Amino acid sequence: MKRISILLSIILAFQLSLKAQIYKDKKAPIESRIKDLVSKMNLDEKILQLNQYTAGLNTNVNNIGEATKSIPDGIGSLIYFSADPVWRNEIQKKAMEESRLGIPILFGFDVIHGFRTVYPISLAQACSWDPALVTQAAAIAAKEAKLSGVDWTFSPMIDVARDPRWGRVAEGYGEDPYTNAMFGVATVKGYQGKNLSDPNSIAACLKHFVAYGASEGGRDYRYSDVSMQSLWETYLPPYEACVKAGAATVMSSFNDISGVPGSANPYTLTEILKKRWKHDGFVVSDWDAIAQLINQGVAADRKEAGYKAFMAGVEMDMKDNIYFENFKALIAEKKIPMSKIDDAVSRILRVKFRLGLFDQPYTTVVDESARYLQSESKTIAQKLAAESMVLLKNESKTLPLTASARQIALIGPMAADKSNLLGAWSFNGREYDVESLSEGITKEFGTTAKIDVAKGCDFDGNDESGFSEAISLAKKSDVILVCLGEKKGWSGENASRSTIALPAIQEKFVQELKKTGKPIVLILSNGRPLELVRLEPLADAIIEIWQPGIAGGSALAGILSGRINPSGKLSITFPLTTGQIPTYYNMRQSARPSGNQGDYQDISTQPLYWFGHGLSYTTFDYGIPKLSATKIKKTDKLSVEVEVSNTGNVAGTETVLWYISDPACSISRPMKELKYFDKKELAPGAKTIFKFEIDPNRDLSYVDSNGKRFLESGDYFVIVNNQKMKFEIID
Ligand code: GLC
């Protein structure tokens, strides 16, 4: 008997010891590991997991002055303002070995359009219409970030934006919900790979949830008057697509969504994100966004701000330490239930377990030369830069430059600039990694033409002293390449501008150059659509290169020489003037569409360049689209084909944008809605079929102000290349 009881106690002890280690057992299911660990954590440890502090030198001027706090071993997360994997591992080692339970820290950072290999800004990437390439770029960004000690990026930004005065229009994928959804998903896939625990995967973070792009007047941190209809129809779809694609986390926004700020909004953060979309990761607040609830007038003090944000559905507090300071009291006062604390902690642990951080808490340390700027990264950087550039104008085939252009004047503030080509949110980018426009052009044309470079003027100010040197070069040249644009700090966070025109000095400079009578190619590097109403007539050709990252020089040079046939198309409309804002392709139809009723009486109401505009060096001819049927049931599919021919004499790549419209519906709908796009290269004289398989529920339905989707019978149009083909949906 005694022997049996000893045996039983040994088995029990063994089971208890096993039980004690479930959260450390990499073979155990993640949910069991979470449950086990939460059951072992005390209140202090749970509250610490809900906080994010910073580590390293904070170079982001917009993040309100923050020095590195002393880093508690059990902190949930750090914004890692460093690229040193060794230091990261030292911090992590303390957490793993000196804290009671050894919970790894989650290291986050803003990896927006590349880490050290800086790619074009996101707005430019969307102009490539190449999600697969964007996925490749994001995967490399993830690898470079991971090797630098970062497990989690605060990206992709998928805020639909239609007010280019807003500096952050540069960070998203433009004016259209479907475009933001497709490129957001492509970027999430690149970051997270096939499995979040893969060695090169990092967790994505969808931001800024939600409708930050509707911030009043294009100014940051402001009120955004968003109807429920617009919320569901315009701002939520990219998030829904990315949540479905498995995005690990979400960031709550600064803006006040029609009276309920994004960081204290139970409808968006819990009802929609958690209950309807079943998101099982976590929400982190934007920087100081919880403390800012006081300024926004919805919290009397920090304690109330923390209570409201957490109860609304913000699991992690970025930087302002409000959760740490106030949660013990709020729990003691029974205002915050332990069940909600445990749910929040579980969500954070879930992402850490999925990332494999418990089992692989340390960064593999490799030499910088093996971490960054590998040849594959640079190849993709060049390809993405080239595919994102948009030929806006090309009068009488000014481009590509022919052999007759033997003397090229390359002038303007962007001609030899490097730093500004990196664009906003490129903290780990290095100026010396950038190939300037002049370097790229000299390499491309150096043997066939003489390139004279002069700055001529600065980005702003009123110093015209450089004009004369530039003009004298221009007079001797066969063609003038004028490189203008914006400084990288003029877009991004807290970079709203009252006008989207370039500073007067730049416009005046071109007016003076025009007097030389030489052909002018205007090259623009900027982070938003620009007001070109005065510049456009002065230019024979215009190329929008955006902020192309490290490889813009060779990409532009290839386009100028014809080595590359431009294929980019705008992901955002260029208004004629700032006064036309907002103007975007998927507006509602005017009640008086004809004549000039409802138009501006002082200027044209047509924008300069619509969403989808982009020229090529070849020509593409579209046949008549063919429908597989003109009447289908709601449950049927309808395919539409169009034959596209390359009728020019050079190869070119065409992107076909497929839209639908519903002319008579229970609610008014946009004049047209992008629902699919496809991109193919065609040799000269080649023809190919582009096909769109319409799934009525997915492509024709509309969502109402409660988020309910409807598909109505009746007439619809599918629109391609401005050809409208009618068909009917029957019950
Ligand atoms: C900033 C930005 C956000 C960024 C965060 C961390 O204020 O709004 O996009 O991810 O803080 O840097």
Side-chain angles (χ1 to χ4, degrees), residues 63 110 154 168 207-208 251 254 286-287 318 425 493:
N63 287 354
D110 290 287
F154 308 126
R168 308 202 74 166
K207 71 183 189 181
H208 307 78
M251 181 184 291
F254 289 133
D286 200 341
W287 181 280
M318 181 185 286
W425 296 99
E493 184 182 353

Side-chain angles (χ1 to χ4, degrees), residues 41-53 70-78 99 103 105 315-317 321 323-325 327 341 345 348 352:
M41 294 169 76
N42 63 38
L43 183 56
D44 289 334
E45 290 160 339
K46 290 179 182 176
I47 291 173
L48 266 177
Q49 283 301 307
L50 308 180
N51 288 267
Q52 179 182 60
Y53 290 174
S70 65
I71 298 168
D73 303 341
I75 191 68
S77 172
L78 292 170
S99 70
I103 300 173
I105 296 169
E315 282 78 33
M316 185 180 279
D317 173 6
N321 209 31
Y323 285 10
F324 181 76
E325 287 165 4
F327 273 23
I341 295 284
V345 172
I348 292 165
K352 294 185 177 183

Side-chain angles (χ1 to χ4, degrees), residues 52 58 60 62-64 79 81 108-112 153-155 157 159 168 171 205 207-208 212 220-221 251-254 284-289 292 318 425 427 493-494:
Q52 179 182 60
N58 173 14
N60 178 346
N62 300 306
N63 287 354
I64 304 152
I79 303 187
F81 290 109
F109 192 65
D110 290 287
V111 186
I112 309 299
T153 176
F154 308 126
S155 168
M157 193 271 223
D159 298 321
R168 308 202 74 166
E171 299 174 49
C205 182
K207 71 183 189 181
H208 307 78
Y212 192 13
D220 266 331
Y221 321 118
M251 181 184 291
S252 66
S253 63
F254 289 133
V284 61
S285 71
D286 200 341
W287 181 280
D288 231 33
Q292 289 167 186
M318 181 185 286
W425 296 99
F427 298 112
E493 184 182 353
N494 195 24

Side-chain angles (χ1 to χ4, degrees), residues 7 23 169 190 263 297 322 350 437 441 515 539 548 550 703 724:
L7 187 62
Y23 79 94
V169 70
S263 294
I322 285 180
R350 185 169 296 121
L437 305 185
I441 290 166
K515 292 173 186 169
I550 62 168
V703 65
K724 293 178 77 168

Side-chain angles (χ1 to χ4, degrees), residues 158-162 175-178 209-215 224-240 255 257-258 267-268 272 277 582 584 586-588 667-670 673 702-709:
I158 47 177
D159 298 321
V160 172
R162 292 155 171 181
E175 69 192 38
D176 174 61
Y178 181 75
F209 193 63
V210 64
Y212 192 13
S215 204
S224 45
D225 193 5
V226 185
S227 68
M228 285 293 115
Q229 183 60 37
S230 296
L231 187 70
W232 279 104
E233 175 184 295
T234 302
Y235 298 105
L236 286 170
Y239 288 90
E240 185 172 15
N255 55 306
I257 307 170
S258 297
Y267 179 65
T268 53
I272 296 174
W277 295 351
Y584 48 97
N586 33 2
M587 290 185 282
R588 255 64 177 185
I667 64 166
S668 72
R669 295 183 66 172
E673 301 168 47
Y702 70 91
V703 65
D704 74 357
S705 56
N706 294 311
K708 197 164 180 311
R709 195 154 277 284

